[in-house]
Amino acid sequence: GQQLNQSPQSMFIQEGEDVSMNCTSSSIFNTWLWYKQEPGEGPVLLIALYKAGELTSNGRLTAQFGITRKDSFLNISASIPSDVGIYFCAGQVYNQGGKLIFGQGTELSVKP
Amino acid sequence: DAGITQSPRHKVTETGTPVTLRCHQTENHRYMYWYRQDPGHGLRLIHYSYGVKDTDKGEVSDGYSVSRSKTEDFLLTLESATSSQTSVYFCAISDWKNNGKNIQYFGAGTRLSVL
């Protein structure tokens, strides 16, 4: 089946630093979504990407849908302590009931 | 939170017992999903529903069944719980836009321990 490889698995950074994480796949997706999960809660949508090459921002977050449709990245600029959590990418293919394939997650720790 | 409520939030059960988890939504979404989350695996789809009485299997459906007798409720049943089903279970709904795009919103999860 389809799989997503997300990297890095974890990051330990200093407050104020920029962060970059990415997801790659061996197959094509029509939609890429980025979620954040905090302890004891469900994933919360950060950014949705629907078109190859699309670059979308949400505050300090920027995500891009790769031209090949097989990858996506998420950047966080000027990190702050509340950015701590697990970030997941998810891919979706049309006409498959809206099912999502998730990456393994990137755990972000921010040191004040 | 897209009006999704999962119950119970926590459950401890014994191997071999049946367990039912409930997902309730208040916004009349047609599509609902059950995922499980395990360390190193992200979230994996168990089953999903595309309408009342309409369900289909996901990636990790063995040992699970689902039912959707009304739009607002999607039930996940572990027919005979095993320790490998210890996990955090998430329900999600799809919000389909007029342009055909959809976004999934998740509930807060149910933490299940099978002893």
Side-chain angles (χ1 to χ4, degrees):
Chain A
Q2 293 171 305
Q3 290 185 333
L4 292 182
N5 294 311
Q6 185 172 350
S7 63
Q9 290 187 6
S10 61
M11 302 182 74
F12 297 86
I13 63 170
Q14 198 79 27
E15 182 177 1
E17 291 183 358
D18 296 344
V19 172
S20 184
M21 60 191 77
N22 69 84
C23 275
T24 60
S25 172
S26 58
S27 53
I28 290 172
F29 289 100
N30 300 115
T31 299
W32 284 92
L33 304 171
W34 284 92
Y35 288 87
K36 179 187 178 185
Q37 185 180 29
E38 298 186 15
E41 299 181 5
V44 174
L45 183 70
L46 299 173
I47 293 179
L49 302 161
Y50 298 106
K51 186 177 178 181
E54 181 180 354
L55 184 71
T56 297
S57 293
N58 178 6
R60 293 178 296 105
L61 278 62
T62 301
Q64 186 160 25
F65 192 143
I67 289 293
T68 65
R69 295 181 173 270
K70 294 182 179 180
D71 61 346
S72 178
F73 72 76
L74 175 71
N75 287 341
I76 305 173
S77 63
S79 59
I80 60 178
S82 63
D83 290 334
V84 166
I86 303 177
Y87 292 78
F88 290 99
C89 62
Q92 190 176 67
V93 177
Y94 291 155
N95 300 322
Q96 291 193 6
K99 293 181 288 185
L100 295 179
I101 305 297
F102 279 85
Q104 303 96 323
T106 295
E107 185 169 8
L108 179 63
S109 300
V110 179
K111 185 177 180 181
Chain B
D1 63 1
I4 303 169
T5 304
Q6 291 187 232
S7 59
R9 292 294 314 279
H10 302 272
K11 186 170 182 65
V12 179
T13 191
E14 294 183 350
T15 298
T17 60
V19 176
T20 295
L21 309 182
R22 180 182 184 236
C23 179
H24 178 79
Q25 57 137 335
T26 59
E27 299 183 2
N28 206 37
H29 293 288
R30 180 181 167 196
Y31 282 75
M32 299 182 74
Y33 308 81
W34 277 107
Y35 292 86
R36 61 177 287 174
Q37 183 176 28
D38 304 290
H41 288 279
L43 283 80
R44 292 178 292 175
L45 182 66
I46 304 172
H47 282 280
Y48 71 102
S49 170
Y50 47 97
V52 173
K53 298 191 190 310
D54 293 323
T55 64
D56 203 352
K57 295 180 179 180
E59 178 187 1
V60 289
S61 59
D62 287 348
Y64 301 95
S65 62
V66 290
S67 64
R68 184 121 179 251
S69 59
K70 47 186 177 178
T71 299
E72 57 265 37
D73 288 325
F74 191 31
L75 304 181
L76 176 70
T77 297
L78 287 65
E79 294 139 7
S80 178
T82 67
S83 58
S84 64
Q85 293 176 311
T86 292
S87 187
V88 182
Y89 292 85
F90 287 99
C91 174
I93 60 92
S94 264
D95 182 13
W96 293 86
K97 307 298 183 184
N98 291 335
N99 57 12
K101 298 171 181 174
N102 86 87
I103 294 174
Q104 284 192 22
Y105 296 95
F106 288 81
T110 295
R111 184 172 295 274
L112 176 67
S113 296
V114 183
L115 305 179

